[in-house]
Amino acid sequence: MSHLKRYITTPIYYVNDRPHIGHVYTTTICDVWARFQRLAGHDVFFLTGTDEHGQKVEQSAEARGVTPQALADENSAEFRRIMGMFDLTNDEFIRTTDPRHEQQVQSLVKRLMDSGDVYLGTFEGWYDPGQEEYYTETKAREVEFKSPISGKPLERATEENYYFKLSAYQDRLEKMFKDHPGIVRPDARRNEVLGRLREGLLDVPISRTNFAWGIGVPGAPEHVIYVWIDALFNYITALGLADSDSEWYSDRSEYWPAGMQVIGKEILWFHAVIWPALLMALGLPLPECIYAHSFWISEGQKMSKSLGNFIDLEQLQDYMETYGSDALRYFLATQGPLGATDSDFSRSQFHETYTTDLVNTLGNCASRTSAMIGKYCEGACPEDTGECAGGGVEWSDFTAAQVEASIAAMEKFDLSGSIAAAMSIVRQVDAFINDTAPFKLAKDPDSAPMVGNILYRCAEAIRIATCLLEATLPDRVQQLRTAWHLGEASGDLRGECVWGRLEPGTTIEKVALFPRVETS
RNA sequence: GGCGAUGUAGCUCAGCCUGGUUAGAGCGAGGGAUUCAUAAACCCUAGGUCACAGGUUCAAAUCCUGUCAUCGCCA
């Protein structure tokens, strides 16, 4: 058994946003992965947090008449609250206003300045004084060199900014994608990046001077480090990785490089190109995988402010109250937009998934098995003496194959594939019961040993399936562990999933894991 | 405008790369049989111009071209 260090990150959430399903989704799928790795005995570090600097926060704070810090404190707390609300097991919650983060970012930028990867450059462009923003040449032409807001003419202006020498990394990035095609997934997203990479890279500005809410550039405090570069560094500042002499340095740095960095597709470019280039510039190893998921749409329509159809925390809580937190996790993990296309979050589909998979398949199978053990075996797990007519399942081989498939799928962040492998064991149990019909055999007392053999296999298979499902369904699997007296997870997932670990004689109580929910 | 993706049964999708029996799965719907179980599991049924139009081929959902639609990224 290995005890690998495995580091998984969510993006840090922008405090100017209202928490909604997107944040819960990203964090939940990371949570499933993190729990799964822990169950497999790995040493996991699961990071999330909030991104708090930038002009938008400054403006929002001003509009509300509070300091940016006060606004950030309030909204960061709101995001932190989500973690408890949805039982998310992040090991750390970083804020970009944490002193440890701010100081390390300065030290990282200093290193980049010293190495020449960050330089002071001059930007010249069309400036809209009213909006305090620059337009690109084409955009400026489009608006006929007049502000689309005020109608006043744009001014030709220059500005000194610090730039990151991204252009110098073109070849190395191309090589990275060639040598490690799995570094950005899914494939459609990688192709998107490759297409854009082919167009060539320009140096990117990493500082601004027209607002103040951010981390100052070392030695040039009138320059504020752009929020996105500030934010990207959270993944390593949370580990205290910036500088081995600093007070923030710790053995947490051993978690780097990250095994899985999950993001939404809107921030792909920063994570798939700029982030690796920054790491190269710093001489740090690259993450194993940047996984960019797609978005949820709501009842067939894109979520938008104008439509007001955001699936917000209240709605998600409502789902949890009606169906249970595991049901929400299961839906997000199995029906979510891990692929290239967006997924629809609809009440009917949620209900259908819950009823089909959790009530009718997993819940019912555990129920019928435990009910029969109750009736025919006096509630004690029978012994498998080897003889069994019908069924035709090599249980030991079959479950071993599914266990490996489930672990392998999770390794690739294919949550639904991993869950499907576990569920296939449950479906096999149902088929096995129908084939062998222990409930018929039970009418003949001479068949009692055979009934016991059959039911042992059913219970054992369900036990193994639920070990694999525990990361997704922690609450209900715990309920099963209690009712079937299975003890706690050992931290050795493979070992636990070896056929035959269920002890004959164990008390098996009847369970109803997922109650049917009637639609109104 | 540039680049890319997608368009297959009511719904969600697989198949397409490596063309070849009656185009598949799950869910939903209809029917049947059964009772260990959460009216569950099981069996049967659904007859969908594989977006459209051309082309290549003995043969195309599968390769090529064009059109339309949807979506993404970029500008």
Side-chain angles (χ1 to χ4, degrees), chain A residues 207-229:
Chain A
S207 74
R208 290 303 295 272
T209 50
N210 60 337
F211 65 96
W213 180 235
I215 302 173
V217 171
E222 71 280 12
H223 285 267
V224 168
I225 297 168
Y226 247 180
V227 64
W228 54 260
I229 195 174

Side-chain angles (χ1 to χ4, degrees), chain A residues 153-264:
Chain A
L154 300 180
E155 294 169 6
R156 197 68 187 161
T158 61
E159 186 172 315
E160 281 205 317
N161 282 316
Y162 285 90
Y163 282 81
F164 172 55
K165 206 180 267 179
L166 183 63
S167 61
Y169 290 87
Q170 177 93 32
D171 294 347
R172 274 170 277 185
L173 287 165
E174 282 173 5
K175 187 172 188 312
M176 172 188 87
F177 283 108
K178 192 161 169 276
D179 297 346
H180 307 286
I183 194 165
V184 171
R185 304 211 351 255
D187 291 349
R189 293 279 99 82
R190 184 185 59 242
N191 291 338
E192 219 168 270
V193 173
L194 285 174
R196 198 169 153 191
L197 197 57
R198 274 193 293 274
E199 292 168 14
L201 294 172
L202 299 174
D203 292 350
V204 288
I206 63 153
S207 74
R208 290 303 295 272
T209 50
N210 60 337
F211 65 96
W213 180 235
I215 302 173
V217 171
E222 71 280 12
H223 285 267
V224 168
I225 297 168
Y226 247 180
V227 64
W228 54 260
I229 195 174
D230 168 359
L232 283 173
F233 281 139
N234 93 86
Y235 303 126
I236 53 179
T237 62
L239 304 179
L241 199 64
D243 175 357
S244 56
D245 298 328
S246 87
E247 61 176 301
W248 316 110
Y249 189 79
S250 76
D251 57 9
R252 270 188 183 176
S253 61
E254 289 165 22
Y255 285 105
W256 192 260
M260 193 61 70
Q261 298 207 262
V262 180
I263 59 170

Side-chain angles (χ1 to χ4, degrees), chain A residues 89 128 143 160 169 175 193 240-241 244 250 311 322 355 383 393-394 418 437 465 474 479 492 497:
Chain A
T89 59
D128 180 345
V143 298
E160 281 205 317
Y169 290 87
K175 187 172 188 312
V193 173
L241 199 64
S244 56
S250 76
I311 295 177
T322 308
T355 303
E383 191 173 354
V393 182
E394 287 298 330
S418 176
Q479 197 178 318
D492 175 12
C497 289

Side-chain angles (χ1 to χ4, degrees), chain A residues 6 25 37 74 85 149 204 297 334 366 448:
Chain A
R6 316 216 89 179
Y25 173 65
Q37 300 305 333
E74 185 185 327
M85 191 187 296
I149 309 295
V204 288
I297 59 174
T334 61

Side-chain angles (χ1 to χ4, degrees), chain A residues 66-141:
Chain A
V66 298
T67 63
Q69 186 66 61
L71 180 76
D73 287 347
E74 185 185 327
N75 290 355
S76 179
E78 180 69 7
F79 278 100
R80 191 187 287 257
R81 194 171 68 86
I82 292 178
M83 306 308 154
M85 191 187 296
F86 295 92
D87 198 18
L88 301 165
T89 59
N90 55 300
D91 296 295
E92 175 69 280
F93 188 99
I94 190 166
R95 302 182 54 185
T96 56
T97 53
D98 288 342
R100 57 169 173 163
H101 175 77
E102 296 187 339
Q103 290 181 25
Q104 287 184 81
V105 167
Q106 288 197 317
S107 132
L108 290 164
V109 170
K110 177 81 166 45
R111 270 170 70 180
L112 293 172
M113 292 165 84
D114 291 347
S115 68
D117 286 292
V118 165
Y119 63 91
L120 187 61
T122 306
F123 175 81
E124 183 176 354
W126 295 103
Y127 186 66
D128 180 345
Q131 296 305 107
E132 296 187 4
E133 62 181 358
Y134 281 89
Y135 293 93
T136 60
E137 194 64 33
T138 30
K139 177 76 180 171
R141 199 172 297 134

